[in-house]
Amino acid sequence: MTPLVAVAHGSRDPRSAASIHALLDVVRSLRPELDVRGCFLDLCAPRLHDVLREPAVVVPLLLGKAYHARVDVPAAVAESRVPAVVTDVLGPDPRLESAALRRLSEAGVSFGDKNLGVVLAGAGSSHAPANEAVARVARRWARESGWAGVEAAFASIASPTVPEAIERLRMKGATKIAVSSWFLAPGLLPDKVATLAGDAVVARPLGDDVEVAQLVLDRYDFALARQTVAA
């Protein structure tokens, strides 16, 4: 069976790697017969070239199509000199949104509160379409939630910032603020978001949510089926 090689960005924060490994444990529990290998682009071990030793399907554990997805992952695969199919990134997908909403619920957010304002906080990118993908989710939540408002915000590079988004929500009448984490794992940027959020409720990253694990497997299955058809 073709191995699934899941590659995350990597972080100096040990919580990040632990969260990625926990997610992959869920993936393994859903598909015990599958060889699932985790690795990182940078800052953590093992690196991609350490685990990509034979033809495989590489699933980038990235939420959007920013620089790491467009440049770093293909370059790392090419450097390994091992034939591999690289899947699409995890986002956009409704299951990521479901996971983010579950994290808000776990943080004690009441979804029926019409005074609630929600910040959907992502990393931020110099690649505008990656930021727009997050903003699109925020706009959809704003239309469908019944909350006072939903605003996208970014931890770096892009705007608005978390404080700016909170101010926009207060201007819309929100008296309670919650921050939804559009991050896969803990690290420097999620910590920055939590600090900037002040006394707002901050949900934890998506991490080992079962729907995220199912999404990883779906990316793998789709790439493998497409490869079989092409052959």
Side-chain angles (χ1 to χ4, degrees), residues 63 96 100-101 103-104 117-125 130-131 133-135 137-139 141 150-156 158-166 169 177-185 188-197 200-206:
L63 301 185
L96 295 179
L101 291 170
R103 293 298 186 232
L104 278 175
V118 173
V119 177
L120 181 62
S125 171
N131 302 324
V134 181
V137 173
R139 290 195 297 269
W141 286 9
V150 182
E151 293 283 342
F154 302 97
S156 65
S159 61
T161 64
V162 171
E164 288 169 345
I166 290 174
L169 291 169
I177 303 294
V179 178
S180 178
S181 180
W182 201 248
F183 294 95
L184 193 60
L188 177 64
L189 292 181
D191 283 353
K192 180 180 178 181
V193 165
T195 298
L196 293 173
V201 172
V202 180
R204 68 186 180 96
L206 308 183

Side-chain angles (χ1 to χ4, degrees), residues 15-169:
R15 296 173 301 161
S16 178
S19 182
I20 295 299
H21 289 308
L23 169 61
L24 296 182
D25 283 343
V26 179
V27 173
R28 294 183 185 100
S29 73
L30 295 174
R31 193 82 59 88
E33 74 281 7
L34 180 60
D35 179 4
V36 178
R37 308 172 188 175
C39 60
F40 303 89
L41 289 171
D42 198 10
L43 303 175
C44 296
R47 303 285 284 275
L48 182 63
H49 62 78
D50 296 322
V51 301
L52 186 56
R53 303 182 298 270
E54 61 199 89
V57 172
V58 175
V59 181
L61 299 182
L62 302 168
L63 301 185
K65 297 178 183 178
Y67 187 86
H68 301 307
R70 294 181 294 109
V71 178
D72 289 342
V73 172
V77 171
E79 184 181 343
S80 74
R81 298 184 178 180
V82 175
V85 176
V86 181
T87 76
D88 201 355
V89 295
L90 300 183
D93 192 278
R95 285 163 289 190
L96 295 179
E97 297 180 45
S98 295
L101 291 170
R102 265 191 296 281
R103 293 298 186 232
L104 278 175
S105 180
E106 291 169 0
V109 172
S110 174
F111 288 172
D113 190 344
K114 296 185 182 302
N115 297 314
L116 178 67
V118 173
V119 177
L120 181 62
S125 171
S126 58
H127 187 58
N131 302 324
E132 173 57 22
V134 181
R136 203 157 43 237
V137 173
R139 290 195 297 269
R140 181 163 52 253
W141 286 9
R143 289 194 305 268
E144 299 174 357
S145 65
W147 298 328
V150 182
E151 293 283 342
F154 302 97
S156 65
I157 303 175
S159 61
T161 64
V162 171
E164 288 169 345
I166 290 174
E167 181 59 26
R168 291 182 185 183
L169 291 169

